[in-house]
Amino acid sequence: LRWFTPTVEVNLCGHATMATAAALAQAVGNSSEVLKFDTLSGELRVSISGDGSLELDLPSNPPESIEAVDVKLRPQLVAAALSIGEVITGEDQPLHTFEYSTSTKKLLVRLGDRQAIEALDKDLPARLLSAHDGSVVKGVIVTASDCLDEEVDFVSRYFAPWVGIGEDPVTGSAHTVLAPYWSATPLRGPEFR
């Protein structure tokens, strides 16, 4: 299984994987309980329950602190992170953390709260392109814990203008980084909401 943005091939697209599994199960009539796909992200499995619901087992791509990144990559990554951070926050919003997933080339930027995430403007993708050439960072995940909302533990937005995606409102590939990041952070319970 392969996925393409308007400009490049990408390693993972969760929604397209789910759609493919649904088409195989419902339209083609594949009756397997588990569908396996060979992809650039490795083998992806979609389980199909008796009621027809689908569950995709995504890989885990934990981010690490920039200080832990390979020393050869670190200067470029620090420069990119600082430029990207300035574009995202300006001078009025403090950053809580920068982390980087080497396997996905995604930079995770943690902000203080949900309002900071919601305040990011529509011009952000163009400004990100101006701040970095895409040589080190291919996507930016902006996230914050959401202590005020009983329904969710964290919020996020994902920007990848370097691969032709200004903003992707819900992306499986970003959640391969978000899930291990937030699972290492104390939240309100053992499972995400």
Side-chain angles (χ1 to χ4, degrees), residues 1 3 11-12 17 34-46 56-60:
L1 191 56
W3 310 276
N11 290 344
L12 178 64
T17 305
V34 177
L35 298 175
K36 300 174 187 176
F37 299 99
D38 183 24
T39 75
L40 291 176
S41 292
E43 183 179 88
L44 296 180
R45 295 171 177 243
V46 178
L56 173 58
D57 186 16
L58 290 169
S60 177

Side-chain angles (χ1 to χ4, degrees), residues 96-165:
H96 281 251
T97 191
F98 277 123
E99 295 208 8
Y100 182 71
S101 169
T102 306
S103 57
T104 65
K105 295 189 175 183
K106 291 182 185 357
L107 181 69
L108 183 144
V109 180
R110 183 173 173 187
L111 299 181
D113 57 35
R114 178 185 206 133
Q115 290 76 22
I117 304 285
E118 291 172 350
L120 298 173
D121 66 50
K122 63 179 174 41
D123 297 328
L124 182 60
R127 293 195 334 262
L128 289 171
L129 276 175
S130 296
H132 177 59
D133 64 4
S135 60
V136 179
V137 175
K138 299 290 185 193
V140 176
I141 304 163
V142 186
T143 189
S145 65
D146 195 356
C147 300
L148 301 176
D149 191 329
E150 300 271 332
E151 301 293 318
V152 299
D153 288 313
F154 66 90
V155 294
S156 64
R157 291 176 70 182
Y158 178 66
F159 303 92
W162 304 279
V163 297
I165 301 170

Side-chain angles (χ1 to χ4, degrees), residues 11-82:
N11 290 344
L12 178 64
C13 182
H15 283 91
T17 305
M18 294 291 280
T20 302
L24 289 171
Q26 297 166 7
V28 177
N30 187 315
S31 60
S32 299
E33 291 180 5
V34 177
L35 298 175
K36 300 174 187 176
F37 299 99
D38 183 24
T39 75
L40 291 176
S41 292
E43 183 179 88
L44 296 180
R45 295 171 177 243
V46 178
S47 300
I48 305 171
S49 67
D51 66 0
S53 62
L54 305 174
E55 183 177 310
L56 173 58
D57 186 16
L58 290 169
S60 177
N61 294 298
E64 56 189 347
S65 71
I66 290 178
E67 295 79 26
V69 172
D70 184 289
V71 70
K72 293 177 189 171
L73 178 62
R74 198 173 307 141
Q76 292 173 287
L77 182 56
V78 167
L82 291 175

